[in-house]
Each structure stands twice: as structure tokens, then as C-alpha cells.
Amino acid sequence: MIHIKNLHKHFGDSHVLRGIDCDIQPQEVVCVIGPSGSGKSTFLRCMNALESVSEGEVRVNGFPVHDQKTDLNKMRESVGMVFQRFNLFPHMTVLENLLMAPMALRGMSRAQATVFAEGLLAKVGLSDKRDAWPSSLSGGQQQRVAIARALAMQPSIMLFDEPTSALDPELVGDVLEVMKNLASEGMTMVIVTHEMGFAREVADRVIFIDQGIIQEQGTPEQIFSAPQNPRTASFLSKVL
Ligand code: ADP
Ligand code: MG
């Protein structure tokens, strides 16, 4: 579903991604961990062309993202992305936030999109917030709306960049629960996270990135219980 070969990314003189190879299968849940500044967000952003690729190959759902000729908007329609900061449209109600893309890009009628959006709000446990303004919601609720909004496009892949890092600790659990349910429904997911307990429980594969390179990857059991690379061990000793 995602095929990445020898991916390099430069920002000016800084060589941020230094040769990443990675294939992600349908329905796979991959958690990406690593120190701050190691290139995790850049790696994720290259997957939906929010960053250009300096060198190498990135194919997502068959779309060659590295190719200038690719219709990136078309590609992005099948890739949902959720960021640390839930950028909901503040001047629209929760429901309106969920209607926009399906009506504009999928050609759904308002009635169709509303039925679909209500289903998604139920899924993230926010049916009662349908007509609320984003600013009246807690951070955790806003983030669950952001997830529902991404799902409204019926993506085949969901990318998450530290979706719970900006939340108060007591709000993290509900968001992780929604993600856990998505994973169990078979959504293909790539999740940059510092929630090691979540990664351990939900990931099929954990990728440890440091200095722009995949230093180690494996099952959660392999990575968390028996890391082979001293860098992985050292990182985990600081965060666990
Ligand atoms: P992480 O998500 O692992 O914390 P990032 O991918 O955000 O790391 O950043 C990796 C490196 O790339 C950092 O040194 C960061 O400063 C640099 N970087 C990220 N985005 C840009 C940008 N748009 N311009 C210049 N440097 C950037
Ligand atoms: Mg980051």
C-alpha cells in the first residue's frame, strides 16, 4: 500500500532523511518512534506529499508521490491525516466540519453526507456534539472530531503525527481508544507517537527512527523487550 525506497530529504544543507526503505501492507498498523528532531514528521509528511521528496521513491496506493506529474490532490483523497494540533474549521459546527470534504470532493448530497457524518460521530463517541462549535469542545473531543473528519473522506490509509501530544493526560485515553478501534476494523495506519503503551498494544510493527534512518524495526515485543540496536535501547530507557 505504501512503498518507500531510498528516501532522502534535504532542507537546505541539512540532510534530514538519509535513505529510508519501508513497505507497508494493507491493514498494517505501524508505529514510528524516535527522538525529537529525528525526522519522524518529515517521513510521514513525505507519504502524502506535504514535503517534496529530494531523492528516492515514494508510492502510496500506487501513486508515485516523488513524480512531479502525479495528481497529488487525487492521491491525498485516499490518505487521511491527523496532526498534533486539531485544525478544525472554527467557524463551522462539528457536523459542518464533517460535511465539507465529502460534499465538495466526493460529490455526496448534503443528506447523504449527513447520514455518513452522524455515523462517524457515533464511532468517535461524539453524537451529542453534532451541532457544537469546535471551541466549546475539549482538546480530546476536538481531536476525535478531527479523526472523524479525516474518515469522512473514506481514506484507505490514515497517517497520525503525535495525535495525543498536545492533550491533557486525562484526555489521551479516549483518542487512543478511537484509534485502537480503527486498527481493529482493519484500517491501514502509520502513527508517530510517544505513547509506548499504545504502540506496544496496537502496532503490528514498530519502527525506530534516529538521525533520519530506520535504526531498527520489528514487532512491539522485539523492539520493547529485546532491542538489538544500542540506540533503540538508549531511547527506550529514557521514555519507558
Ligand atoms: P521529528 O518529527 O522526529 O521531531 P522532524 O521531521 O520534524 O522531526 O524534523 C527533522 C529535522 O528537520 C529537524 O532538525 C527539523 O528542524 C528539520 N526540519 C523539519 N521541517 C523543516 C523545514 N520545513 N525546514 C527546515 N528544516 C526542517
Ligand atoms: Mg514530529
Side-chain angles (χ1 to χ4, degrees):
M1 217 156 191
I2 298 177
H3 170 71
I4 294 169
K5 201 167 169 203
N6 193 33
L7 168 62
H8 288 260
K9 176 66 186 176
H10 298 264
F11 288 113
D13 289 341
S14 85
H15 195 175
V16 172
L17 298 180
R18 301 186 297 133
I20 291 195
D21 294 307
C22 178
D23 284 290
I24 295 173
Q25 311 303 323
Q27 309 209 325
E28 198 177 8
V29 177
V30 175
C31 283
V32 179
I33 63 172
S36 174
S38 58
K40 304 180 300 297
S41 294
T42 306
F43 174 50
L44 205 65
R45 291 163 64 81
C46 282
M47 290 184 201
N48 69 348
L50 290 177
E51 299 292 353
S52 63
V53 170
S54 303
E55 186 190 328
E57 213 178 300
V58 176
R59 285 177 197 279
V60 175
N61 277 331
F63 288 90
V65 173
H66 55 275
D67 186 338
Q68 311 250 333
K69 295 191 289 288
T70 301
D71 182 348
L72 295 176
N73 287 328
K74 201 85 210 142
M75 182 278 291
R76 289 194 191 105
E77 284 182 14
S78 63
V79 182
M81 180 133 187
V82 176
F83 302 89
Q84 187 172 346
R85 296 253 158 230
F86 15 86
N87 12 42
L88 298 175
F89 305 114
H91 56 289
M92 292 181 188
T93 64
V94 165
L95 182 70
E96 294 285 343
N97 264 276
L98 269 59
L99 295 183
M100 221 181 74
M103 286 173 63
L105 300 170
R106 289 271 188 258
M108 279 195 198
S109 69
R110 173 167 288 266
Q112 278 175 319
T114 301
V115 170
F116 190 54
E118 285 173 341
L120 290 171
L121 285 176
K123 197 184 184 106
V124 300
L126 292 173
S127 292
D128 57 329
K129 300 296 182 191
R130 180 182 185 261
D131 299 312
W133 296 101
S135 58
S136 72
L137 305 181
S138 75
Q141 290 170 334
Q142 289 185 43
Q143 193 61 302
R144 281 144 67 200
V145 174
I147 294 172
R149 188 178 60 177
L151 291 173
M153 281 298 287
Q154 299 173 269
S156 53
I157 299 170
M158 286 284 285
L159 307 177
F160 295 87
D161 193 358
E162 300 195 33
T164 60
S165 294
L167 301 178
D168 291 334
E170 73 273 21
L171 304 176
V172 168
D174 288 340
V175 174
L176 294 181
E177 192 61 35
V178 166
M179 293 167 65
K180 209 179 291 180
N181 290 338
L182 261 185
S184 66
E185 289 170 7
M187 179 61 80
T188 307
M189 298 162 73
V190 185
I191 306 159
V192 175
T193 186
H194 291 294
E195 295 289 335
M196 297 301 154
F198 172 83
R200 189 164 197 146
E201 187 184 339
V202 178
D204 297 308
R205 173 159 49 128
V206 175
I207 291 180
F208 173 66
I209 292 188
D210 193 11
Q211 300 185 333
I213 287 174
I214 295 182
Q215 303 280 353
E216 185 167 3
Q217 58 181 315
T219 63
E221 185 63 21
Q222 283 165 348
I223 299 295
F224 292 116
S225 302
Q228 301 298 301
N229 185 320
R231 282 182 195 275
T232 319
S234 158
F235 171 73
L236 291 174
S237 73
K238 288 176 204 144
V239 296
L240 286 179

